Amino acid sequence: MFGFKLSVLLFVVCSLSTCSGMFVKNCKYPPSQWCDSKHIAAECGVLEQCMKFNLTKTNADKVTVSLYYESLCPGCREFLVLQLVPTLIMLQDIMTIELVPYGNAQESGSEGKYIYTCQHGENECLGNMIETCLLNTLGLDAFAVIFCMESGVDVLKDAQPCLGVYFPNTTWDSVMKCATGDEGNKLMHQNALKTNALKPPHEYVPWITINGEHTEDLQNKAMTSLFSLVCSLYKGDKPPACGQGSVKETSSYCMK
């Protein structure tokens, strides 16, 4: 094994501040295999990145970063694209992340058919549902598709082509069947329960917890430089990446 296996590594091939869909056309391997060997990494155009971020084994508990967000919130998109994913790419050996698409939505109805009202309208509810279904279907690999969606011009219009680029064997129809059916409804209810159980209750999004804890100090540090925060909180030997600097500060919120 060559080392770094995180599928979202593909996004280091373009500028995270301007990337909206730059892909390696000649690569026939799925993102999860891009760093399996030097040959594959070279063919997919990420050899330098795979070698640079092939981190050492962890020797302490990973830092867990949970992001409570909504799909069309500008501040959520900015944090996910410019802070969360770049930090995960560089520090995936010392951190884990959790995405909870729900944010400031409101749930009504009852078991069997919950109804959702979202801060940025029906399109946001659909975006939340699509990303929830992607996470349920693809697990960690869904971060690649979600990053692609959130970094593009139009989250919903970009969803299908983003899925097609990274996971052509996962049909769009299957995702939409989940998003518009009972399965997605039940999955979103779990996101609602998890969001509503936050202590302290969330007041805005993006709402960030570190190892299950939220404080204004942790929130501010995460928004300023999640990279630096994760490096500072990791209790084991610091990986080489921790000496290479931080990523762009974000500061935008969607209030409840």
Side-chain angles (χ1 to χ4, degrees):
M1 299 295 289
F2 185 47
F4 194 87
K5 291 202 62 177
L6 183 65
S7 65
V8 292
L9 176 66
L10 72 165
F11 301 113
V12 300
V13 302
C14 62
S15 169
L16 287 169
S17 61
T18 59
C19 179
S20 61
M22 184 184 301
F23 311 113
V24 181
K25 296 180 180 179
N26 296 326
C27 179
K28 61 179 180 290
Y29 300 94
S32 59
Q33 297 179 16
W34 281 12
C35 290
D36 279 2
S37 71
K38 290 184 178 180
H39 170 76
I40 294 175
E43 182 173 330
C44 295
V46 292
L47 178 60
E48 179 182 352
Q49 289 80 8
C50 285
M51 296 179 67
K52 184 176 182 180
F53 299 116
N54 183 21
L55 306 179
T56 59
K57 297 292 183 180
T58 59
N59 56 357
D61 291 339
K62 293 184 177 182
V63 178
T64 300
V65 179
S66 299
L67 173 63
Y68 295 80
Y69 74 107
E70 52 198 28
S71 62
L72 299 188
C73 168
C76 298
R77 298 178 67 185
E78 182 182 3
F79 179 79
L80 190 152
V81 172
L82 297 181
Q83 292 265 14
L84 186 63
V85 172
T87 299
L88 182 62
I89 289 170
M90 293 186 284
L91 301 180
Q92 61 104 15
D93 274 3
I94 68 169
M95 70 178 289
T96 59
I97 69 173
E98 175 189 27
L99 298 181
V100 185
Y102 184 78
N104 296 329
Q106 299 293 321
E107 181 184 70
S108 59
S110 58
E111 186 174 354
K113 191 58 179 178
Y114 297 100
I115 300 171
Y116 298 98
T117 303
C118 297
Q119 185 171 22
H120 299 94
E122 292 182 4
N123 282 346
E124 180 165 81
C125 284
L126 180 57
N128 290 347
M129 195 71 76
I130 289 171
E131 294 184 2
T132 296
C133 288
L134 288 170
L135 289 164
N136 184 64
T137 301
L138 300 174
L140 179 66
D141 284 340
F143 298 157
V145 184
I146 292 172
F147 179 99
C148 179
M149 292 169 59
E150 297 290 344
S151 64
V153 175
D154 189 309
V155 173
L156 290 184
K157 288 183 179 179
D158 289 340
Q160 184 173 0
C162 284
L163 178 67
V165 167
Y166 300 117
F167 299 99
N169 293 328
T170 300
T171 67
W172 180 245
D173 286 346
S174 68
V175 175
M176 290 306 294
K177 181 179 179 180
C178 169
T180 59
D182 291 342
E183 182 182 14
N185 195 259
K186 292 175 182 178
L187 291 170
M188 188 57 64
H189 177 60
Q190 295 305 311
N191 286 356
L193 292 176
K194 188 174 294 186
T195 302
N196 292 334
L198 284 166
K199 294 183 179 179
H202 84 284
E203 300 173 1
Y204 48 78
V205 288
W207 186 265
I208 303 157
T209 69
I210 308 295
N211 296 328
E213 179 184 7
H214 176 92
T215 66
E216 285 303 304
D217 182 59
L218 287 172
Q219 177 81 25
N220 291 336
K221 287 179 178 178
M223 295 292 285
T224 300
S225 175
L226 180 65
F227 180 93
S228 297
L229 178 61
V230 172
C231 284
S232 69
L233 292 177
Y234 182 63
K235 299 184 184 301
D237 296 335
K238 309 296 184 187
C242 281
Q244 296 177 5
S246 59
V247 293
K248 184 178 178 181
E249 177 178 354
T250 54
S251 59
S252 177
Y253 290 95
C254 288
M255 307 303 294
K256 287 186 71 175

